[in-house]
Amino acid sequence: MWEWVWEGIRQGIVTTGYPARAETAAGVSPGFPSGLPRTFTDPEEAETLAACCPSEALVREGRQVIFRDQRCIHCYRCLRRIAPPQEWRWQGNYEWAVSPRPRAELAKKFDKSFRRSLHLRVIDAGACGACLSEIEQLNKPYYNMHRLGFFLTPTPRDADLLLVAGPVTEHMRLPLLKAYEAMPAPKAVLALGACAIYGGVFGSSFASLGGVSSLIPVDILVPGCPPPPLAILHALLALVGRAEPHRCESIASPQGGESHV
Ligand code: SF4
Ligand code: SF4
């Protein structure tokens, strides 16, 4: 016991410096392919690259391959199978939050009083467990979201934000809807991970709705499978006007296309 206490004192503060400082520790993000869109001289090469992606995150358009981050599940097939590492660039950042709402509309949702006090209700709408494990990390000393004014609440009646993981199984359709309706205004919805965005590896079926936006309005999305804790923090900070989200015109759909919002 004393050894652990002494080790803690010796190491000092180990909590991440994000958002004041960029996090540079190894392994904090699974990353995304970068350097896309990329134009190939041979259309066959473009086709081979796009065809190796199981989630249609890589799409061929003529001789070009484009990347759709909302669909990526970090399987690394494009990295391992196609291009030698020196030709294939990978970016390990984590500020991935995207919003289908215009910046001004999102900023109006929560006024200044929410900047350091936002309460989150987490809903497991059929997640595999990995997204939930990343959320759990936010409550631990390394990411420590309390220092930034974000808190979990067990009831939607106290919640400002509904954080949803999973493709929304048929069994969770009604509980999710009831939780959303029970929240007081102003309220927002965060779709966490590929499943909550478009159904991810589960897609849509008799048992799955294929994403949160098919049931309730979504304010912000965090791509990834699972998204790392820093990407979730980026979305939370963006919701209260302390970070800039990326803008998306559409949300990925289970059919492989995108639905406009
Ligand atoms: S990591 Fe996998 S899912 Fe993501 S773009 Fe590459 S092949 Fe597609
Ligand atoms: S997005 Fe990936 S990690 Fe998250 S629930 Fe779906 S399959 Fe699991």
Side-chain angles (χ1 to χ4, degrees):
M1 171 73 182
W2 276 109
E3 288 87 347
W4 284 104
V5 173
W6 177 244
E7 187 62 17
I9 294 169
R10 195 182 63 78
Q11 284 197 12
I13 296 169
V14 292
T15 303
T16 176
Y18 182 78
R21 287 188 307 280
E23 176 58 77
T24 52
V28 292
S29 169
F32 279 140
S34 74
L36 296 165
R38 180 171 163 183
T39 305
F40 291 81
T41 41
D42 181 359
E44 279 290 307
E45 261 189 90
E47 181 55 37
T48 314
L49 177 57
C52 86
C53 179
S55 63
E56 297 179 40
L58 298 176
V59 180
R60 179 169 84 94
E61 287 181 354
R63 289 191 292 116
Q64 208 175 50
V65 173
I66 60 164
F67 174 60
R68 303 189 293 183
D69 57 354
Q70 292 182 30
R71 306 193 74 87
C72 182
I73 54 171
H74 311 297
C75 69
Y76 302 112
R77 287 181 77 183
C78 52
L79 184 66
R80 291 189 183 127
R81 290 193 170 196
I82 302 300
Q86 66 272 20
E87 283 181 23
W88 193 238
R89 278 175 283 159
W90 204 261
Q91 51 101 350
N93 79 358
Y94 42 77
E95 291 193 322
W96 297 345
V98 288
S99 175
R101 311 225 174 279
R103 181 77 191 93
E105 195 185 307
L106 194 68
K108 261 195 268 166
K109 190 143 239 179
F110 294 117
D111 66 24
K112 281 186 177 165
S113 57
F114 290 90
R115 280 176 76 91
R116 290 195 174 270
S117 175
L118 193 79
H119 286 73
L120 333 174
R121 169 74 174 116
V122 177
I123 302 271
D124 172 0
C128 73
C131 276
L132 303 174
S133 162
E134 301 296 310
I135 296 168
E136 206 182 317
Q137 298 305 316
L138 295 174
N139 239 356
K140 293 186 174 171
Y142 194 77
Y143 295 105
N144 186 11
M145 67 175 175
H146 299 160
R147 77 198 149 96
L148 298 169
F150 303 123
F151 307 95
L152 296 178
T153 172
T155 165
R157 296 196 188 281
D158 286 343
D160 312 304
L161 174 70
L162 206 55
L163 202 162
V164 189
V168 190
T169 56
E170 183 53 32
H171 283 112
M172 284 306 294
R173 187 177 59 78
L174 198 54
L176 177 57
L177 198 55
K178 283 189 170 177
Y180 179 72
E181 284 168 358
M183 290 168 71
K187 56 186 170 184
V189 176
L190 187 161
L192 183 73
C195 288
I197 295 173
Y198 70 95
V201 293
F202 301 106
S204 70
S205 68
F206 70 95
S208 155
L209 264 62
V212 180
S213 63
S214 56
L215 187 67
I216 51 178
V218 170
D219 298 276
I220 201 154
L221 320 162
V222 188
C225 181
L230 290 173
I232 310 173
L233 275 186
H234 177 235
L236 299 179
L237 290 165
L239 273 169
V240 293
R242 293 166 64 189
E244 201 62 42
H246 304 281
R247 174 92 165 93
C248 63
E249 297 298 330
S250 52
I251 299 179
S253 79
Q255 289 73 34
E258 297 189 338
S259 47
H260 286 270
V261 284

